[in-house]
């Protein structure tokens, strides 16, 4: 993996100065690609000359440009969005007795909602905020939330409220600074490996269901060869579209069934329809009790943001060249945009629960592209998919979906984790975070390993000695105890029944 390690991966990206002279503006520093020896040099120069402005307009061609590389993360992000929102909506729909038509319409609705907030934040006023995606790790918790009587709107609004508190207090940046390279690397290794194995299993399960198991083997084998060739020719940023085309073409040629069935159309845009007692969610508006029920789950959801956001930021940092701090993802800005997007999405009736958009930021970092241009294209692709309908069918077809996530997200995360644990005493912390994450989940593994690492039990002892008392054990201990307590309350600790009886389902 060709990366450029940064000197300090734990510090948050600085979003750039709000003022700039005409001489050093992006527009004046821009040079056409023909003046560079290679495409990589041109793309790296683009990253180094950008001057993103927070809370002020960032306009195409004045502050950034569109390149064909921007279409790759936009495509991967749209595929990931359709799949993840469909998974959350379906997980809610099953125990609530809602139909497949509800899932389809809510996904289309969410694609239109997210497009607006992508353009507003990442494409216009907060160009260092990653796109507000979907909180995948929450999916296993949703049946427990529903069984306990949780309301989707109450759940979403509490996540938004806690997220805003964390963003305004700069809590995301603080937790990032407390996380060493070893912990980051181990977290990336775990997420990458678990993601790859899960997608391979899903593809084989799909192939077995249609009595064509050989298709899964051939698709994955061909994808491995293609990825290796792209790595050799330094065209890895093309992995997502080429792998999707290859996987889909091979599966269809070998006889796998596929048909378009989602016709063009628009979802119901009336929030009162979605929150009606006999329409949409068929739940009506939440009560005070609804908020109390989902409170521990909302705390856990926002606590799980930090390792997720940090992993994305670290991958971007080691993929970008030097002198690109201004355009790197800002964790607090991303938390802020995700919280605002979550607030309006929940009020409008959407099924999404927001987090940092991994299927966008990882391919964008590989392609060496800044956030704004690809964000605009992602919004456009989401609108097209939601209105046209047919692209949604292709995006969720397993031969396309699985290889897109493997080569676009999980293999790069695995490579980044290996890159971060090559030197020093990082392997100790990396091994422990993988071990602890396997026991419960990444949030548990991350919080426990930060505590052990900062106390100096594992990892770099010199780094531990340089930390203040608050950074060494007070904050890590409070964070670990809080997270573990919430997990124990809702029954997420393996082998231990939920401490709160209402969550024992």
């Amino acid at each position: 993996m060709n990366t450029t390690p940064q000197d300090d991966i734990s510090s948050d990206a600085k979003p750039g100065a709000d003022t700039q002279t005409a001489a050093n503006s992006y527009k004046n520093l821009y040079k056409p690609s023909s003046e560079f020896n290679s495409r990589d040099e041109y793309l790296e120069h683009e990253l180094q000359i950008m001057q993103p402005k927070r809370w002020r307009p960032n306009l195409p061609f004045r502050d950034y440009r569109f390149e064909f590389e921007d279409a790759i993360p936009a495509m991967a992000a749209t595929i990931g969005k359709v799949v993840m929102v469909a998974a959350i909506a379906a997980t809610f729909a099953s125990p609530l007795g809602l139909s497949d038509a509800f899932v389809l319409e809510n996904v289309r609705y969410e694609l239109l909602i997210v497009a607006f907030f992508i353009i507003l934040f990442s494409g216009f006023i907060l160009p260092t905020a990653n796109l507000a995606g979907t909180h995948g790790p929450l999916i296993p918790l949703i049946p427990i939330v529903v069984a306990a009587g949780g309301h989707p709107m109450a759940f979403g609004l509490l996540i938004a409220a806690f997220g805003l508190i964390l963003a305004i207090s700069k809590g995301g940046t603080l937790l990032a600074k407390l996380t060493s390279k070893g912990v980051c690397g181990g977290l990336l290794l775990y997420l990458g490996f678990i993601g790859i194995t899960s997608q391979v299993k899903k593809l084989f399960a799909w192939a077995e269901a249609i009595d064509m198991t050989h298709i899964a083997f051939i698709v994955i084998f061909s994808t491995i060869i293609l990825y290796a060739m792209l790595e050799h020719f330094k065209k890895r940023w093309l992995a997502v579209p080429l792998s999707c085309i290859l996987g889909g073409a091979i599966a269809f040629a070998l006889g796998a069934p596929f048909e378009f069935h989602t016709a063009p159309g628009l979802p119901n845009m009336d929030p009162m329809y979605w929150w009606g007692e006999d329409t949409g969610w068929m739940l009506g508006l939440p009560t005070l009790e609804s908020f109390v029920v989902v409170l521990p789950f909302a705390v856990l959801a926002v606590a799980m943001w930090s390792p997720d956001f940090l992993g994305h930021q670290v991958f971007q940092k080691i993929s970008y060249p030097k002198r690109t701090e201004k355009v790197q993802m800002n964790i607090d800005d991303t938390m802020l945009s995700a919280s605002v997007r979550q607030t309006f999405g929940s009020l409008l009736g959407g099924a999404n629960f927001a987090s940092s958009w991994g299927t966008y930021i990882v391919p964008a970092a590989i392609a060496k592209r800044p956030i704004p241009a690809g964000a605009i294209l992602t919004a456009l692709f989401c609108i097209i998919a939601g209105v046209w309908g047919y692209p949604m069918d292709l995006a969720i077809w397993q031969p396309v979906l699985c290889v897109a996530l493997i080569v676009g997200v999980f293999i790069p995360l695995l490579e980044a984790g290996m890159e971060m644990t090559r030197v020093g005493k990082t392997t100790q912390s990396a091994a422990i975070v993988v071990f602890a994450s396997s026991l419960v989940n990444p949030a548990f593994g991350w919080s426990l390993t930060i505590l052990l690492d900062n106390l100096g039990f594992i990892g770099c002892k010199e780094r531990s000695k340089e930390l203040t008392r608050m950074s060494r054990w007070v904050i890590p201990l409070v964070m670990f105890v809080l997270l573990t307590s919430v997990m124990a309350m809702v029954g997420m600790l393996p082998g231990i029944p939920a401490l709160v009886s209402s969550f024992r389902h």
Side-chain angles (χ1 to χ4, degrees), residues 287-471:
T287 62
L288 179 60
E289 183 181 356
S290 303
F291 287 91
V292 174
V293 167
V294 298
L295 180 63
F297 295 101
V299 172
L300 184 59
V302 174
M304 293 172 71
W305 271 6
S306 290
D308 202 24
F309 285 49
L310 180 60
H312 296 160
Q313 186 201 56
V314 167
F315 183 85
Q316 188 190 47
K317 285 187 174 185
I318 66 176
S319 300
Y320 276 9
K322 294 181 178 179
R323 303 191 307 280
T324 57
E325 290 78 10
K326 291 180 179 179
V327 297
Q328 290 170 8
M329 169 185 164
N330 183 288
I331 290 180
D332 296 313
D333 285 352
T334 304
M335 287 185 173
L336 179 63
S337 65
S339 300
V340 175
R341 179 260 182 275
Q342 181 63 61
T343 300
F344 286 93
S346 294
L347 291 174
L348 292 173
N352 187 74
F353 296 109
S355 183
S356 179
W357 201 324
T359 51
Y360 173 79
I361 198 67
V362 172
I366 294 172
K368 296 183 179 179
R369 294 299 297 148
I371 292 173
I376 300 295
L377 293 184
T378 300
L380 177 62
F381 288 0
C382 284
I383 293 172
I384 292 174
V387 174
W388 195 10
Y390 297 129
M392 294 171 60
D393 298 325
L394 191 59
I396 62 174
W397 195 37
Q398 291 300 315
V400 173
L401 164 64
C402 292
V403 296
L405 295 179
I406 288 172
V407 303
V409 179
F410 299 122
I411 290 180
L413 289 178
L414 199 60
E415 292 177 339
M418 293 177 178
E419 180 75 21
M420 294 187 68
T421 55
R422 287 193 309 171
V423 296
K425 299 179 180 179
T426 56
T427 53
Q428 297 175 1
S429 302
I432 293 297
V433 76
V434 171
F435 189 12
S437 297
S438 301
L439 175 62
V440 184
N441 57 37
F444 177 86
W446 170 72
S447 60
L448 174 59
T449 312
I450 283 181
L451 177 61
L452 297 174
D453 186 73
N454 287 9
L455 285 172
F457 293 154
I458 56 176
C460 181
K461 305 297 189 294
E462 290 73 18
R463 175 182 173 275
S464 175
K465 293 176 182 178
E466 294 173 357
L467 296 173
T468 64
R469 184 179 67 173
M470 289 291 292
S471 299

Side-chain angles (χ1 to χ4, degrees), residues 43-205:
L43 294 175
E44 290 180 1
H45 180 259
E46 283 286 284
L47 292 172
Q48 292 166 341
I49 64 172
M50 275 190 63
Q51 308 286 335
K53 300 182 286 291
R54 297 177 72 240
W55 303 112
R56 292 172 56 194
N58 291 263
L59 303 177
F61 307 108
R62 187 193 74 179
D63 299 299
Y64 59 87
R65 274 176 167 74
F66 295 98
E67 304 291 343
F68 60 84
E69 286 89 350
D70 292 311
I72 308 304
M75 173 184 171
T78 305
I79 292 174
K81 188 64 176 178
V82 171
V83 173
M84 296 303 293
V85 177
I88 287 184
T91 307
F92 263 115
S94 180
L96 290 175
L98 302 174
S99 66
D100 291 341
F102 164 84
V103 175
L104 173 63
E105 189 169 17
N106 202 278
V107 171
R108 301 181 95 155
Y109 191 36
E110 275 290 354
L111 288 173
L112 300 181
I113 293 172
V114 76
F116 172 79
F117 287 99
I118 288 172
I119 295 173
L120 175 62
F121 287 110
S122 300
F124 190 53
I125 59 174
L126 278 181
T128 54
N130 186 26
L131 285 59
T134 302
H135 204 336
L138 277 188
I139 293 176
L141 292 178
I142 290 176
I144 306 175
V145 176
V146 176
H151 193 290
M153 182 195 283
F155 193 21
L157 291 178
L158 280 182
I159 290 175
F162 291 141
L164 282 172
I165 293 172
L166 197 61
I168 294 171
S169 65
K170 305 292 183 182
T173 300
L174 173 62
L175 295 178
K177 289 179 179 178
L178 298 180
T179 309
S180 69
K181 287 185 178 181
V183 178
C184 288
L187 187 64
L188 294 177
L189 285 170
Y190 177 80
L191 295 174
F193 181 75
I194 293 299
I196 290 172
T197 54
S198 68
Q199 293 306 314
V200 170
K201 289 178 181 177
K202 286 181 181 178
L203 188 57
F204 270 97

